[in-house]
Amino acid sequence: MGSVHAVLIDIDGVLTVSWQPLPGAVEALREIRAAGLGVALVTNTTSRTRASIARTLADAGFPVSAEDILTAPAVTAAYLAEHCPGARCALLNSGDIAEDLGGVTVVGDDEGDDDEVDDSAPDVVVVGGAGPEFDYAALNRAFGHVQRGARLVAMHRNLYWRTEQGLQLDTGAFLVGLEKAARVEAEITGKPSAAFFEAALAHVGVGAGEAVMVGDDIESDVLAAQRAGVTGVLVKTGKYLPETHRGASGTPDHVIDSFAGLPALLAELRESAQQ
């Protein structure tokens, strides 16, 4: 399809909501696959492993496997291995993602709380996705670790996401307060970090100018991708809100009603490239 050789796709709010397929999404992804385009599902979801996500999507009819999926936890594991090798990490996250954190040493909640035992204190506080675990005690414990010198690494800073019950608070709502209180800025490993998009492009083996990114989060998905040189496509599903669109820090390259309209947009891009 012209100069587009790969599609980077957010999952939650784009392909599914509460893991239920959005109308036309399965058929659209099958059409994209049939066109021979590379596909990477790029998600900040931190409640499930790549294998679990792949099984759920495949059961719903999506033509995907675990190898097609790049998650914030998997990228975080690679980031920690490169920048904090051997670090002891205190993890604050909702969901079991141990499988995607291979090589990361995670200490339990009862470790690293004694100020007098420096050797047992975590070197890094890793913040994943929000949920019931983000209570006062957990956040205060993370605050204490960071005050004592631990690095603060967050998988993302999304403020909210959409479920079948409506919009729900996410990590960013808590992370801002933790950063302000500890007077540090978290190192972000998932979207919107440039490193995440670089990893996604390497995953599909194309350059930034040969890919499009499809997402429902105008800042973290679309504009962040555009800053990385990737064509951004905003869908009006999931967490999309007109007021967020109007107040965004930039303008998406393209806006479509839903993922079901992506094949038609890619056809238009192909025709434009051939003229």
Side-chain angles (χ1 to χ4, degrees):
M1 291 189 175
S3 61
V4 177
H5 297 296
V7 183
L8 312 181
I9 309 165
D10 184 31
I11 299 174
D12 194 20
V14 178
L15 298 180
T16 66
V17 167
S18 292
W19 300 104
Q20 296 301 308
L22 287 166
V26 171
E27 294 77 10
L29 187 55
R30 287 177 177 170
E31 189 172 343
I32 290 166
R33 286 285 204 194
L37 297 177
V39 170
L41 306 188
V42 291
T43 176
N44 276 348
T45 297
T46 55
S47 60
R48 298 190 181 202
T49 64
R50 296 167 65 223
S52 173
I53 293 170
R55 284 194 300 270
T56 299
L57 293 178
D59 288 345
F62 289 102
V64 300
S65 67
E67 289 69 32
D68 299 317
I69 300 171
L70 191 65
T71 66
V75 172
T76 299
Y79 179 89
L80 292 171
E82 179 180 355
H83 297 277
C84 314
R88 293 165 51 82
C89 300
L91 176 65
L92 176 56
N93 180 69
S94 183
D96 183 7
I97 55 173
E99 185 180 321
D100 282 351
L101 289 177
V104 177
T105 301
V106 178
V107 300
D109 288 343
D110 58 342
E111 297 185 64
D113 291 331
D114 188 343
D115 290 334
E116 297 180 2
V117 186
D118 293 337
D119 289 343
S120 69
D123 305 300
V124 183
V125 171
V126 180
V127 181
E133 296 82 355
F134 277 57
D135 59 14
Y136 176 82
L139 287 166
N140 193 51
R141 186 162 50 246
F143 174 55
H145 293 328
V146 175
Q147 279 189 303
R148 290 189 289 271
R151 293 172 68 165
L152 180 60
V153 174
M155 297 186 191
H156 62 79
R157 56 169 69 254
N158 294 354
L159 292 171
Y160 51 82
W161 82 99
R162 184 174 293 280
T163 71
E164 56 191 5
Q165 284 83 38
L167 295 178
Q168 306 288 312
L169 281 179
D170 206 346
T171 300
F174 304 94
L175 184 62
V176 170
L178 186 56
E179 289 176 314
K180 291 286 187 182
R183 294 184 232 181
V184 300
E185 184 173 345
E187 303 165 48
I188 307 299
T189 54
K191 294 176 294 182
S193 72
F196 188 93
F197 290 102
E198 290 170 4
L201 291 170
H203 189 73
V204 290
V206 303
E210 301 173 302
V212 300
M213 170 68 206
V214 188
D216 64 329
D217 187 318
I218 189 169
E219 297 289 349
S220 293
D221 291 338
V222 180
L223 299 182
Q226 290 177 194
R227 288 193 293 272
V230 178
T231 297
V233 180
L234 177 66
V235 293
K236 295 182 177 181
T237 55
K239 68 171 63 174
Y240 173 87
L241 294 171
E243 55 267 35
T244 304
H245 188 176
R246 290 192 297 269
S249 61
T251 303
D253 292 318
H254 304 280
V255 181
I256 56 179
D257 288 336
S258 71
F259 187 77
L262 185 64
L265 173 62
L266 294 176
E268 291 177 11
L269 297 177
R270 177 190 60 200
E271 292 174 4
S272 296
Q274 293 174 344
Q275 291 177 355

